[in-house]
């Protein structure tokens, strides 16, 4: 009887452990851009490479200067960044979220006056 009780206890604990949802991790491994130097108003493709569970993934793009091309690409892995009308270094950041976790990565964009 005692063995049966112990076996039943182990079985219940195992079911509880394996039925709990695990935290789904995601990470941005790469953040890429099309080029090295950009002129005023240039439209530059930028994109993120993610690793982990991609179910329900969305992206958020931010920049310390310039803008992004519309609402259509804001939640996608790739976006179109438009350089500002002033020279300097701009930081572009992508954040990926999948409900369980989020990950961010940034890169520097060098804006020059001439193309």
């Amino acid at each position: 009887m005692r063995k049966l009780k112990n076996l039943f206890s182990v079985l219940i604990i195992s079911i509880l452990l394996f039925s709990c949802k695990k935290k789904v991790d995601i990470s941005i491994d790469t953040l890429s851009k099309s080029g090295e130097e950009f002129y005023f108003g240039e439209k530059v493709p930028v994109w993120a490479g993610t690793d982990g569970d991609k179910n329900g993934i969305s992206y958020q793009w931010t920049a310390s200067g310039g803008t992004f091309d519309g609402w259509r690409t804001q939640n996608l892995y790739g976006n179109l960044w438009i350089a500002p009308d002033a020279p300097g270094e701009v930081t572009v950041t992508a954040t990926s979220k999948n409900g369980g976790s989020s990950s961010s990565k940034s890169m520097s964009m060098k804006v020059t006056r001439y193309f």
Side-chain angles (χ1 to χ4, degrees):
M1 183 68 155
R2 186 173 197 162
K3 286 184 181 181
L4 186 60
K5 186 177 180 182
N6 287 341
L7 180 63
F8 184 70
S9 297
V10 169
L11 182 63
I12 294 294
I13 290 171
S14 298
I15 290 172
L16 289 174
L17 287 175
F18 289 110
S19 67
C20 294
K21 286 190 172 184
K22 296 178 182 176
K23 183 178 179 183
V24 182
D25 291 330
I26 192 164
S27 66
I28 295 180
D29 291 336
T30 61
L31 195 56
S32 304
K33 56 190 171 191
S34 181
E36 293 299 318
E37 290 187 19
F38 312 103
Y39 58 88
F40 296 173
E42 181 177 359
K43 292 182 177 183
V44 182
V46 292
W47 60 95
T50 52
D51 186 31
D53 186 7
K54 296 179 177 91
N55 289 334
I57 192 170
S58 67
Y59 294 85
Q60 180 180 10
W61 292 89
T62 58
S64 62
T67 59
F68 289 97
D69 187 32
W71 55 271
R72 292 171 286 145
T73 56
Q74 181 60 30
N75 292 323
L76 302 177
Y77 72 92
N79 209 331
L80 199 57
W81 174 72
I82 302 170
D85 293 336
E89 295 284 326
V90 174
T91 301
V92 171
T93 303
T95 302
S96 63
K97 299 175 187 176
N98 70 349
S101 66
S102 65
S103 175
S104 295
K105 193 166 186 94
S106 297
M107 67 180 160
S108 181
M109 311 288 273
K110 184 176 182 181
V111 179
T112 59
R113 185 178 317 210
Y114 304 106
F115 59 92

